[in-house]
Amino acid sequence: MKPIVSPLTPGIIHLIRLTHLPSDDLGDHIRFFTITENNQIIGVAGLEPAGSDALLRSVAVHPDWQNRGIGKVLTDEMVAQARQSGYQSLWLLTTTAERFFLRYGFEKTDRMKAPEAIRQTSEFKSVCPSSAACMKLDLTP
């Protein structure tokens, strides 16, 4: 099961909304990766560039496919893509998956410690609530 690059589609938006993640600010500035089964998107994750860093967005797995390792495959791919792209760090905001991302080396940090380019993304400015956990993964060798 290998994620593939995919343009933003109604299927991606549907899955993101189905899993109760924000979708109002999604666009072509985010590089999406999907996993499909029988032509249905069952997993998605996005990488949003922000200067020398990136924001991990919309890691979502269809409820019927959860707990089968799809989230792990997507997260591994996003970390690999961020490293290959030369980003210094990978950031995310979450209200529900903090424990999941801790397993990948993400560390909880103060939202105000995020680089300015990350703080200027719509996810940081308005989409994700201030109560969301802010997490960072250092990608430098």
Side-chain angles (χ1 to χ4, degrees):
M1 200 173 298
K2 175 96 169 117
I4 59 167
V5 176
S6 178
L8 182 60
T9 64
I12 289 173
I13 294 170
H14 172 74
L15 178 56
I16 290 168
R17 288 180 177 160
L18 180 68
T19 56
H20 309 289
L21 294 175
S23 62
D24 292 343
D25 69 325
L26 301 179
D28 294 335
H29 62 290
I30 301 171
R31 188 172 176 203
F32 288 99
F33 289 77
T34 59
I35 294 176
T36 59
E37 181 70 28
N38 296 323
N39 295 319
Q40 178 187 355
I41 297 172
I42 60 169
V44 65
L47 197 61
E48 181 175 350
S52 60
D53 305 287
L55 187 61
L56 179 58
R57 293 286 309 262
S58 309
V59 178
V61 177
H62 191 284
D64 293 344
W65 288 86
Q66 290 177 356
N67 300 311
R68 298 186 193 191
I70 294 170
K72 178 187 181 336
V73 170
L74 287 164
T75 302
D76 288 344
E77 183 68 23
M78 294 299 91
V79 170
Q81 289 292 325
R83 278 199 170 100
Q84 286 176 351
S85 297
Y87 294 117
Q88 293 179 10
S89 59
L90 187 58
W91 293 79
L92 64 87
L93 293 172
T94 183
T95 57
T96 60
E98 184 177 339
R99 291 176 68 203
F100 176 82
F101 289 110
L102 285 171
R103 292 184 286 199
Y104 295 93
F106 282 86
E107 296 178 357
K108 190 171 179 182
T109 188
D110 185 295
R111 199 170 177 145
M112 292 310 295
K113 290 185 178 178
E116 182 64 22
I118 293 287
R119 289 195 320 253
Q120 290 303 314
T121 64
S122 58
E123 176 152 315
F124 264 70
K125 286 174 34 177
S126 60
V127 173
C128 228
S130 60
S131 60
C134 176
M135 303 183 80
K136 172 190 176 187
L137 178 66
D138 185 7
L139 300 174
T140 58

